[in-house]
């Protein structure tokens, strides 16, 4: 749909330059997470470049298909949410509804570390820490422990907006801070950006 709208903007010049547009859209593809306007601008730029390269006519072929190199059974993104603030769980549970994400919740840091020790073959890719009284030393210790089992995990911390990002700058491995109070749309946006 986004590509078709972008193509409509070029109908006059495509007709004038005798460009044959061939569309091939595969059926049953998974959703694409992104901003429709930004994606449309990308397609407008690509189509404009193609049209400019064919002043005397030619064929513009647009195909939408699954990546031939991607596994049909691609593993979901593994996200671990470690919390001790039950009041914000309703917002965080929205993460479970995102296709392609496997989200697990752990009560307190000890439970999560035990789980990572028991299944080191499947460490989380993203770790979201939501402690009610966010303490830099506690987060530092927990991140250090988790990095033993999930060295490549990207870590997000939920913290009061008044604390700011500077408090976490000294902790290696912190990829970002989600300001409290959490908003469902903002959590999804930040999580998508980091994944």
């Amino acid at each position: 749909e986004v590509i078709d709208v972008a193509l409509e903007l070029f109908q006059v010049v495509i007709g004038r330059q005798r460009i044959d547009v061939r569309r091939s859209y595969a059926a049953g593809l998974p959703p694409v997470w992104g901003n429709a306007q930004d994606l449309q601008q990308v397609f407008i730029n690509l189509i404009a470049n193609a049209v400019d390269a064919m002043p005397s006519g030619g064929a513009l072929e647009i195909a939408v298909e699954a990546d031939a190199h991607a596994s049909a059974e691609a593993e979901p993104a593994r996200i671990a949410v470690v919390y001790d603030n039950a009041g914000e769980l309703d917002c965080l549970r929205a993460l479970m509804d995102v296709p392609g994400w496997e989200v697990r919740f752990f009560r307190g840091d000890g439970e999560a570390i035990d789980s990572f020790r028991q299944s080191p073959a499947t460490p989380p890719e993203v770790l979201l820490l939501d402690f009610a009284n966010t303490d830099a030393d506690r987060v530092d210790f927990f991140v250090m422990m988790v990095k033993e089992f999930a060295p490549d995990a990207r870590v997000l911390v939920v913290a009061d907006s008044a604390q700011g990002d500077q408090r976490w700058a000294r902790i290696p491995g912190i990829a970002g801070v989600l300001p409290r109070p959490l908003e469902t749309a903002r959590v999804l946006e930040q999580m998508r950006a980091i994944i």
Side-chain angles (χ1 to χ4, degrees):
E1 189 176 308
V2 170
I3 295 171
D4 288 338
V5 170
L7 276 168
E8 287 176 17
L9 300 174
F10 293 89
Q11 283 307 309
V12 172
V13 68
I14 285 173
R16 186 171 55 233
Q17 292 178 204
R18 298 181 310 279
I19 295 173
D20 180 27
V21 178
R22 301 170 190 163
R23 303 175 207 200
S24 173
Y25 301 161
L29 294 174
V32 174
W33 293 103
N35 182 295
Q37 290 178 329
D38 289 344
L39 287 170
Q40 190 171 73
Q41 187 59 54
V42 170
F43 295 127
I44 288 171
N45 294 344
L46 289 170
I47 295 167
N49 290 343
V51 169
D52 288 345
M54 295 184 282
S56 303
L60 172 60
E61 184 172 340
I62 299 177
V64 181
E65 57 192 27
D67 184 351
H69 301 289
S71 167
E73 296 293 325
E75 288 189 24
R78 294 184 301 276
I79 301 166
V81 178
V82 181
Y83 72 97
D84 64 0
N85 185 12
E88 293 185 337
L89 277 185
D90 288 343
C91 173
L92 293 174
R93 287 196 194 286
L95 301 175
M96 300 178 73
D97 297 329
V98 180
W101 291 9
E102 178 186 299
V103 184
R104 296 184 64 198
F105 288 85
F106 298 94
R107 173 77 180 174
D109 49 354
E111 179 187 348
I113 290 174
D114 287 345
S115 175
F116 300 154
R117 281 188 180 129
Q118 291 167 12
S119 55
T122 57
E125 296 173 72
V126 177
L127 180 67
L128 177 59
L129 303 178
D130 182 16
F131 299 136
N133 296 313
T134 310
D135 176 86
D137 290 334
R138 181 181 182 198
V139 171
D140 192 4
F141 173 76
F142 185 65
V143 171
M144 180 185 69
M145 291 293 293
V146 167
K147 287 292 186 175
E148 291 182 19
F149 313 106
D152 297 325
R154 287 160 286 176
V155 181
L156 286 172
V157 176
V158 178
D160 293 332
S161 54
Q163 293 174 333
D165 292 350
Q166 292 183 352
R167 184 171 187 179
W168 314 106
R170 69 174 181 82
I171 302 178
I174 299 291
V177 177
L178 277 66
R180 190 179 279 122
L182 294 178
E183 299 174 20
T184 302
R186 186 76 179 132
V187 170
L188 292 177
E189 178 185 320
Q190 290 184 286
M191 293 292 284
R192 285 190 182 119
I194 199 169
I195 291 176

